[in-house]
Amino acid sequence: MKGVVFVELLNMAESIAGEDAVDAILDECPLETNGAFTSVGNYPCSELMILVQAFSEKLNAPVSELQNKFGRWMFMRFAEGYPAFFVGKNDAFTMLESIENEVHVEVRKLYPEVELPTFATERIDEKTLRMVYCSERPLIDFCQGMIEACVEHFKEPADIDKIDHSSSGEFKADFKISMAA
């Protein structure tokens, strides 16, 4: 997993709990890296999950809630750092549909070794999009946070229903995003 994800998790945690609390958590966690992450490095997802669990305990928040908050954080960082991906995207559905065949294509050009989730999308009708997340990583709630942040970014109120279809070793969720009338 790319180091930028770890760096941003630490940035988010510092914004919530403070630098001292994050340093204390890093000291307590059994991490192979000892908490030394760089944005360009590659690290095991297991270390991310150890950190999320530790921050969950420290902040007294469920892991799912923390993952969701982190997904929202990452979407906003993405929007700030990569505005070119938003050019020509006038609504949330268009942006969400572009992840697999535009955003991930560009990410793979920069980082050929990266392992990304897959996203399949289908327009059910003008106000409903189905998006299927599939990954070896247990980040479904993170994905939901990113979807929610995308909808909010485009100021389009929506209901987001999630059905988790995960099974051993594969994490899969079906999201139905229904724009408000």
Side-chain angles (χ1 to χ4, degrees):
M1 179 169 270
K2 291 308 292 177
V4 68
V5 176
F6 291 83
V7 169
E8 288 301 331
L9 176 63
L10 297 178
N11 288 339
M12 183 191 82
E14 283 180 8
S15 76
I16 296 168
E19 188 176 341
D20 290 341
V22 170
D23 287 344
I25 290 169
L26 288 173
D27 288 343
E28 295 168 9
C29 286
L31 302 170
E32 293 173 26
T33 60
N34 294 318
F37 302 105
T38 66
S39 60
V40 294
N42 289 306
Y43 307 99
C45 183
S46 58
E47 295 219 347
L48 184 74
M49 303 319 299
I50 289 169
L51 288 170
V52 168
Q53 181 64 45
F55 291 135
S56 168
E57 291 168 10
K58 171 69 176 173
L59 300 171
N60 198 27
V63 168
S64 60
E65 183 180 304
L66 188 60
Q67 273 198 29
N68 183 286
K69 183 184 270 309
F70 184 45
R72 289 169 170 271
W73 174 276
M74 283 300 289
F75 182 87
M76 297 317 296
R77 299 293 297 141
F78 176 67
E80 292 167 6
Y82 302 94
F85 284 117
F86 290 80
V87 173
K89 312 290 187 309
N90 298 320
D91 59 70
F93 285 178
T94 304
M95 185 68 221
L96 292 169
E97 290 170 323
S98 76
I99 293 171
E100 187 66 30
N101 295 317
E102 290 179 41
V103 176
H104 281 180
V105 168
E106 294 303 316
V107 170
R108 283 187 185 96
K109 286 179 187 176
L110 293 171
Y111 308 105
E113 76 287 358
V114 74
E115 295 174 20
L116 299 170
T118 60
F119 293 96
T121 57
E122 173 190 6
R123 293 251 186 156
I124 305 299
D125 58 41
E126 167 180 309
K127 296 209 177 268
T128 311
L129 178 74
R130 177 178 180 235
M131 184 172 207
V132 179
Y133 164 89
C134 211
S135 178
E136 294 176 355
R137 298 184 177 109
L139 297 172
I140 291 171
D141 293 311
F142 172 86
C143 178
Q144 182 168 354
M146 289 194 79
I147 293 169
E148 291 169 359
C150 180
V151 166
E152 290 169 9
H153 175 83
F154 287 98
K155 298 175 175 48
E156 297 174 318
D159 291 320
I160 301 169
D161 297 313
K162 170 182 70 180
I163 300 173
D164 189 333
H165 298 287
S166 299
S167 59
S168 61
E170 180 184 52
F171 299 90
K172 184 176 180 180
D174 197 330
F175 294 94
K176 180 180 163 191
I177 303 123
S178 304
M179 293 299 167

